Amino acid sequence: MGTEKCWVYRVDEPYGSQGWRPHGGHPERWRGTVVTDSPEESAEYVAALVVTDLVTEWEAGGTGQRHVRVIVWEDEEGDGAEDAAFTVEIRPGIDAG
């Protein structure tokens, strides 16, 4: 009770010298809102949910890992990673040994 929080997320991909752009052919697929009701369900938790969805889609589609960043803001979408509650960047081959 009273612990409900709204998180807004967006997944971006690198776009050369122009910086970042929304990820994928359907960017609305990787932009949304998650409402949590527990203090343990933080911005990091929301990013983990989004990353899990990304990896599942990549594995199902056989596309392999991509270079993306997941940005999570509290309440409303900000301008970029600089005003986010949490940002995580995923790079291809990071777990290659």
Side-chain angles (χ1 to χ4, degrees), residues 13-14 23-24 57-58 62-69 90-92:
E13 60 188 29
H23 172 64
E57 185 170 289
W58 293 338
T63 58
Q65 196 177 49
R66 307 243 175 106
H67 185 181
V68 297
R69 70 178 180 184
I90 301 171
R91 294 176 179 236

Side-chain angles (χ1 to χ4, degrees), residues 17 20 25 28 53 60-61 75 78 81 86-87 95:
S17 63
W20 297 85
E28 64 279 357
D53 283 350
D75 295 323
F86 185 76
T87 302
D95 62 347

Side-chain angles (χ1 to χ4, degrees), residues 48-93:
L49 292 175
V50 175
V51 167
T52 299
D53 283 350
L54 277 165
V55 171
T56 300
E57 185 170 289
W58 293 338
E59 288 176 353
T63 58
Q65 196 177 49
R66 307 243 175 106
H67 185 181
V68 297
R69 70 178 180 184
V70 178
I71 309 168
V72 181
W73 298 273
E74 189 173 347
D75 295 323
E76 61 185 38
E77 187 172 317
D79 293 325
E82 60 279 350
D83 60 353
F86 185 76
T87 302
V88 63
E89 189 170 337
I90 301 171
R91 294 176 179 236

Side-chain angles (χ1 to χ4, degrees), residues 9-68:
Y9 68 88
R10 184 178 75 220
V11 179
D12 289 343
E13 60 188 29
Y15 192 55
S17 63
Q18 296 179 2
W20 297 85
R21 68 177 178 190
H23 172 64
H26 301 285
E28 64 279 357
R29 163 75 174 94
W30 296 110
R31 175 180 254 150
T33 303
V34 174
V35 177
T36 62
D37 59 3
S38 169
E40 292 82 29
E41 295 173 336
S42 62
E44 292 89 344
Y45 171 82
V46 172
L49 292 175
V50 175
V51 167
T52 299
D53 283 350
L54 277 165
V55 171
T56 300
E57 185 170 289
W58 293 338
E59 288 176 353
T63 58
Q65 196 177 49
R66 307 243 175 106
H67 185 181
V68 297

